[in-house]
Amino acid sequence: MAASPPSPESGAPDPAIQRWWDLAMASLQAEHWSVAEGALLRLIAQLGDQPTLLDPLGYSLLCQGRYAATEAAMRRALACGGESFWIPHKLGDALRGQQRLVAAVAAYEQALEQGSDSPITVRNLLEVLDQLDPSRAIDRLERFALHAPAVGWSPPAPWQQGAIEAALHSPGSELAHGLCRRGCPDPAVRRRAWQEELQGLRLCRALGWLDGTQADGQAAAVRQRLTGLIALA
């Protein structure tokens, strides 16, 4: 977010504009969303549509759950040349809030094309794809791995972190299984995978996911018991 307000057309500094800008930024920091909205609207009325103003306005609207208004602000920001990847990202959030999931996917993809390196963009994209069809989320996970290869998982690359968060938020376990196949060692992700196999009494497969799990007391106990059961079978 810009540290200073845009200048008026005259280029001359305007103390009133600075005061409104300072109020808007302080209100965003304090999570006083409606106050920030009012200050930013005042600036837009004086200075016209500018991405520097519309971007934080969209954030204040999004945090109030006003998705249609957020969408309108973000589209205006894009129309007047906004280049920050957060603009299409917030557009995706607004569309998702309106359950326009296919359009939300396109907006998140645009954010990635504009250089998003935020795990949040990846997380939100995968969550929406998973909601539409888990197989689409898995396909996109594979493309992340193909086009943004990472060396190991410690620490996770941004796309890996976003995918981990999406897998843990997903109602199903498809993303967790996809990550495990990619060698993800995160105990919570692997727990989602082995617990589902265990519930389905697929003991050997459950043991397979347990074998790659980092130090985890519960996992170690289950692994020991499964090993004994399989040996007796």
Side-chain angles (χ1 to χ4, degrees), residues 130 134-135 138 141 170-179 181 196:
D130 186 63
S135 66
I138 294 298
L141 181 66
S170 170
S173 61
E174 289 88 354
L175 278 171
H177 281 91
L179 286 172
R181 286 192 293 272
E196 185 194 36

Side-chain angles (χ1 to χ4, degrees), residues 6-197:
S7 301
E9 290 185 4
S10 64
D14 186 332
I17 288 175
Q18 186 66 55
R19 286 195 296 272
W20 283 112
W21 177 261
D22 291 342
L23 174 62
M25 295 301 101
S27 300
L28 288 172
Q29 185 69 29
E31 300 184 0
H32 297 159
W33 310 123
S34 61
V35 176
E37 176 193 353
L40 289 162
L41 287 172
R42 179 67 176 262
L43 287 167
I44 291 168
Q46 291 183 256
L47 300 173
D49 278 2
Q50 300 188 33
T52 305
L53 300 174
L54 289 163
D55 190 358
L57 173 63
Y59 183 63
S60 70
L61 293 166
L62 187 64
C63 289
Q64 296 176 71
R66 295 168 56 192
Y67 301 121
T70 303
E71 178 190 355
M74 293 302 89
R75 292 197 185 282
R76 286 162 62 190
L78 290 170
C80 63
E83 297 180 351
S84 168
F85 67 75
W86 285 115
I87 295 174
H89 175 106
K90 284 194 280 285
L91 176 59
D93 289 347
L95 293 164
R96 183 184 183 186
Q98 298 174 76
Q99 291 300 302
R100 292 159 58 193
L101 301 183
V102 174
V105 167
Y108 291 132
E109 292 286 10
Q110 182 179 350
L112 291 168
E113 290 171 6
Q114 289 184 204
S116 176
D117 57 358
S118 172
I120 303 173
T121 305
V122 175
R123 181 197 70 193
N124 291 5
L125 171 61
L126 290 177
E127 286 178 353
V128 170
L129 288 170
D130 186 63
Q131 188 175 349
L132 286 166
D133 182 347
S135 66
R136 293 183 60 181
I138 294 298
D139 288 344
R140 190 62 179 92
L141 181 66
E142 295 301 315
R143 285 197 285 137
F144 276 122
L146 179 64
H147 296 296
V151 180
W153 290 82
S154 183
W159 73 264
Q160 291 175 326
Q161 185 59 46
I164 288 170
E165 293 174 10
L168 295 178
H169 294 160
S170 170
S173 61
E174 289 88 354
L175 278 171
H177 281 91
L179 286 172
C180 289
R181 286 192 293 272
R182 286 276 168 189
C184 176
D186 185 87
V189 171
R190 298 193 75 85
R191 189 177 303 117
R192 295 226 42 197
W194 66 254
Q195 283 181 340
E196 185 194 36
E197 302 293 4

